[in-house]
Amino acid sequence: MSRALLVIDVQNDFTEGGALGVDGGAAVAAGITAYLEAHPDRYDVVIASRDWHHGDDDNGGHFATDGAPDYVTSWPRHCVAGTPGAEYHPALDTSLVDVHVKKGQGVPAYSIFEGTTDDGAAFPDTLDRLGVTAVDVVGIATDYCVRASALDALDAGRTVTVLSDLVAAVNPVTGAESLVEIEDAGGAVRSSR
């Protein structure tokens, strides 16, 4: 039995000034670093995900290429593999991350459970190999990838807690609704403090 921190998509394109910048994203990046530095022994493993999209296609319809994005299932180009927008925000100290996961490589992907580690392992297999039974979830965006990752972790039988002060939402209303949905599904929502 081990506990993991899942750091979801703390990337330049999802923070202020990025292609899909979320208000408070940079503060979340800095907050996660401060939290990990203050609690170096709280987690057995720290796992961070990134969107890592193709730059030469629409990623299975994820990128709006023939019209305006609807911001529900189609989006502007973002987090293209190898570009500055796809990199972790500089306020996130990646030396504190043990496992890196890439998702959305040619297809829409919101949950970390849809990703693979740098060594090519499927994320759920990695959790099983590490014996992870409980996860805390932080990152961007509460109403999309944080929500999807937390719900998938619950579906996979893990104990899930979202640290509410270390997430940022695209929309405050849908962000709050997502936290309620996670609680209704059996997860917990609490402050990191």
Side-chain angles (χ1 to χ4, degrees):
M1 292 175 51
S2 64
R3 181 173 209 88
L5 181 69
L6 306 185
V7 180
I8 307 299
D9 299 0
V10 180
Q11 297 171 260
N12 290 324
D13 269 349
F14 294 139
T15 56
E16 293 86 348
L20 288 171
V22 172
D23 288 342
V28 164
I32 293 167
T33 294
Y35 172 70
L36 285 170
E37 288 173 342
H39 306 285
D41 300 320
R42 181 159 290 174
Y43 299 100
D44 300 292
V45 62
V46 177
I47 305 171
S49 69
R50 283 185 287 175
D51 271 7
W52 202 252
H53 296 305
H54 294 168
D56 57 356
D57 62 40
D58 70 357
N59 290 272
H62 193 61
F63 287 178
T65 56
D66 295 327
D70 64 17
Y71 294 94
V72 177
T73 60
S74 65
W75 305 89
R77 285 171 53 91
H78 62 277
C79 299
V80 171
T83 67
E87 296 305 322
Y88 293 113
H89 188 278
L92 177 68
D93 183 351
T94 57
S95 73
L96 303 172
V97 175
D98 303 302
V99 178
H100 300 272
V101 174
K102 293 175 181 163
K103 60 187 180 65
Q105 297 167 286
V107 295
Y110 295 89
S111 171
I112 191 173
F113 280 77
E114 299 172 89
T116 57
T117 64
D118 283 347
D119 63 4
F123 175 72
D125 296 340
T126 299
L127 283 189
D128 291 343
R129 179 179 56 80
L130 295 170
V132 173
T133 57
V135 297
D136 289 354
V137 185
V138 298
I140 306 169
T142 315
D143 31 359
Y144 290 93
C145 297
V146 169
R147 172 191 169 274
S149 298
L151 292 173
D152 280 354
L154 286 164
D155 286 346
R158 270 54 179 206
T159 302
V160 175
T161 302
V162 175
L163 302 182
S164 57
D165 56 318
L166 296 177
V167 294
V170 170
N171 178 304
V173 173
T174 55
E177 291 170 350
S178 296
L179 295 177
V180 169
E181 182 181 4
I182 291 162
E183 287 181 312
D184 288 347
V189 176
R190 65 168 178 79
S191 171
S192 68
R193 297 180 188 91

